[in-house]
Amino acid sequence: MSGIRPPLDLLIAAPRGFCAGVDRAIRIVELAIEKYGAPVYVRHEIVHNKFVVDTLKAQGAIFVDELDQVPDDVPVVFSAHGVPKAVPAKAAERGLEYLDATCPLVSKVHRQAERLVSAGRHILFIGHAGHPEVIGTFGQVPEGAMTLVEDVEGAESVSPPDPTNLAFLTQTTLSVDDTAATLAVLKRRFPDILAPGPDDICYATSNRQGAVKAIAEQCDFMLVIGAPNSSNSLRLVEVAERSGKPARLVQRAADLDFAWLEGARTVGVTAGASAPEVLVRELVTRIAERYEVTEREVETVAEKVVFKLPRGLEAA
């Protein structure tokens, strides 16, 4: 067989895969199981990745959609995407021990929202309706204090209560380019809109999109490992397509259709922030079944971010 495998160059984007917030969230669940014993309940998928969720289930995590499904006297973990304030309040009311695995960069947006609203500003929030992170951020402030803006069209049509007293915030996992375009419209329509600080799009989202841009021009096709409900993974597919290259999202190596690669000489591979490196290796191994693979990692920036664990878990 080996003699007839066609050659294929694989460009592996770096950074890719797990970010510091995802690493921390998964570790919180693992340490909670060590500390309290199984089962430990987790409200919502801890991160948007089936492989990660299934691995934690095997260790003793039970995933539920709502707090009502958590029995009394067992610990519960809140997912990396963040939760509305009402959720920890309800957990405390029931006397549940809870651990908050919200990514610190999402928590930062939560605190900004509170500060802006208490200063009397109305917030235009750039994000995707129904995403857990958006639901969590809206749940930090009184109803009506924020308006969701999903895209450029939404930015053109939004009519806030007091156009002279606005601020904006954004979901952390958006497309850098899309957000810039949406923001440009808001700034044109509302010149006094307050930018609360540096961009809220997280370092990992920006870095992974930058890494895809850096290799896309050299590739004939891009493969992105990630879940269909993972915002940052879907954005990586869009970034590749905007660079003029066909791209596909795959959850596992088994999802690869070799027909996609026909005629390709160079294929780019990356992974969303909630996809573990083991899935990248699995995909490369599967491609190597049919191709004589030459692999090269292209690093655009080195990531050294680490987030501290919650107090009481470091010792576990």
Side-chain angles (χ1 to χ4, degrees):
M1 270 302 282
S2 64
I4 56 169
R5 285 184 302 174
L8 187 71
D9 286 337
L10 285 189
L11 294 187
I12 315 286
R16 64 180 174 278
F18 278 2
C19 61
V22 164
D23 248 339
R24 174 179 178 270
I26 293 167
R27 197 76 194 109
I28 287 171
V29 178
E30 291 171 340
L31 289 171
I33 293 167
E34 266 179 51
K35 181 174 175 175
Y36 300 103
V40 165
Y41 280 72
V42 184
R43 185 187 174 277
H44 287 178
E45 290 189 345
I46 186 71
V47 298
H48 285 154
N49 187 275
K50 187 180 183 310
F51 179 87
V52 170
V53 167
D54 289 346
T55 304
L56 291 171
K57 275 182 187 169
Q59 292 173 30
I62 296 176
F63 292 86
V64 295
D65 288 330
E66 292 307 335
L67 209 56
D68 303 343
Q69 298 162 268
V70 178
D72 291 333
D73 306 321
V74 295
V76 60
V77 180
F78 302 143
S79 83
H81 310 103
V83 293
K85 269 188 173 165
V87 175
K90 195 167 155 195
E93 204 177 283
R94 284 184 52 194
L96 292 177
E97 179 119 21
Y98 66 84
L99 293 157
D100 190 353
T102 302
C103 171
L105 298 177
V106 174
S107 298
K108 188 186 102 195
V109 177
H110 288 181
R111 302 294 76 81
Q112 285 176 317
E114 287 179 313
R115 279 199 300 274
L116 291 164
V117 168
S118 62
R121 299 249 174 196
H122 184 84
I123 299 170
L124 298 181
F125 189 84
I126 305 171
H128 295 298
H131 188 278
E133 186 188 326
V134 174
I135 293 166
T137 305
F138 269 70
Q140 304 305 310
V141 296
E143 208 167 325
M146 274 206 288
T147 302
L148 185 66
V149 176
E150 291 206 70
D151 48 29
V152 167
E153 289 76 18
E156 288 287 8
S157 61
V158 68
S159 58
D162 179 359
T164 61
N165 199 16
L166 297 173
F168 72 85
L169 291 171
T170 75
Q171 186 180 329
T172 61
T173 53
L174 299 177
S175 151
V176 175
D177 296 339
D178 280 351
T179 306
T182 303
L183 202 47
V185 173
L186 293 178
K187 286 177 171 169
R188 168 170 59 71
R189 290 192 61 210
F190 311 110
D192 298 331
I193 194 166
L194 180 71
D199 199 347
D200 296 324
I201 293 176
C202 85
Y203 77 93
T205 299
S206 311
N207 288 350
R208 278 150 194 68
Q209 289 176 22
V212 167
K213 280 183 186 171
I215 64 170
E217 58 195 38
Q218 304 167 61
C219 297
D220 303 310
F221 197 88
M222 280 290 305
L223 289 166
V224 178
I225 301 166
N229 60 340
S230 161
S231 172
N232 77 81
S233 303
L234 294 170
R235 303 294 83 78
L236 294 176
V237 174
E238 290 172 4
V239 167
E241 288 173 341
R242 281 197 187 147
S243 304
K245 298 302 155 81
R248 285 295 177 106
L249 185 73
V250 292
Q251 295 204 67
R252 298 289 301 266
D255 300 334
L256 173 67
D257 181 344
F258 279 106
W260 299 338
L261 308 186
E262 266 172 38
R265 301 294 303 274
T266 305
V267 170
V269 175
T270 190
S274 39
E277 182 63 16
V278 61
L279 300 186
V280 177
R281 301 322 315 161
E282 179 190 83
L283 180 64
V284 172
T285 302
R286 176 152 161 127
I287 293 170
E289 289 168 13
R290 299 270 187 103
Y291 290 90
E292 196 62 60
V293 163
T294 306
E295 203 184 319
R296 184 160 64 88
E297 184 177 79
V298 180
E299 185 176 57
T300 46
V301 60
E303 286 182 349
K304 297 186 169 65
V305 180
V306 180
F307 293 133
K308 288 207 290 272
L309 288 162
R311 276 196 296 278
L313 271 192
E314 306 102 318

